[in-house]
Amino acid sequence: MAKVKRGDIILFTMILIIGSVTVLQWWSHQHVAYEQGQLQALITVNGKEYETVPLIGDERVIDIKTKYGHNTLKVYNYGIQMIYSDAPKSIALDMGFISKPYQQIICVPTRVVVEVLVPETEQGESDLDAVVG
């Protein structure tokens, strides 16, 4: 019978902790309350905000031409999708249509990131109820 060593226990504990944190984050992201038409997509280029667009049912095309490249995004059906990129590989195009909080489209060569934002709560951007000092 194999003897359990101290390093095995530490490794098992670390895996358990990391797994628990990952599951809690996944669960909290899946249970964000929002109504259709309330979400927005934040578009950044090279880490700087390019535009924030509401994800509504109306169709809109956004052309992004920078020194890093050319991308085209399409907003429709309460979501957004990258429909064109002049990047060497079509990885960002393969990310598809996103319409839920925390989903992202990332095009590394053109430095474009699109992220669906969580709607603001009634109390503002933080969930702070009170400050105790």
Side-chain angles (χ1 to χ4, degrees):
M1 185 167 181
K3 189 174 185 181
V4 178
K5 297 180 182 175
R6 182 177 176 201
D8 295 335
I9 294 172
I10 293 172
L11 180 63
F12 179 73
T13 304
M14 293 299 291
I15 290 171
L16 195 62
I17 291 170
I18 292 170
S20 299
V21 169
T22 303
V23 167
L24 284 173
Q25 286 179 339
W26 171 82
W27 187 83
S28 68
H29 287 178
Q30 296 298 321
H31 294 86
V32 174
Y34 65 92
E35 293 179 21
Q36 206 167 33
Q38 192 179 21
L39 298 177
Q40 296 181 330
L42 173 64
I43 303 167
T44 58
V45 177
N46 199 27
K48 296 181 179 157
E49 183 174 341
Y50 181 83
E51 187 176 351
T52 301
V53 295
L55 299 180
I56 56 177
D58 298 337
E59 190 172 304
R60 178 178 172 203
V61 175
I62 302 165
D63 242 2
I64 303 171
K65 293 181 182 177
T66 66
K67 65 181 180 180
Y68 307 111
H70 178 204
N71 296 84
T72 303
L73 298 165
K74 182 178 178 183
V75 178
Y76 65 102
N77 290 344
Y78 303 98
I80 190 166
Q81 180 175 8
M82 188 170 293
I83 58 173
Y84 174 79
S85 176
D86 63 359
K89 294 186 179 181
S90 64
I91 296 170
L93 299 176
D94 295 338
M95 292 182 179
F97 179 80
I98 61 173
S99 61
K100 294 185 176 129
Y102 304 106
Q103 289 182 323
Q104 296 180 335
I105 298 172
I106 301 170
C107 186
V108 175
T110 60
R111 302 179 186 186
V112 173
V113 176
V114 181
E115 179 179 11
V116 178
L117 299 176
V118 178
E120 292 184 16
T121 62
E122 291 179 11
Q123 299 170 353
E125 288 193 33
S126 73
D127 290 335
L128 195 62
D129 288 333
V131 177
V132 178

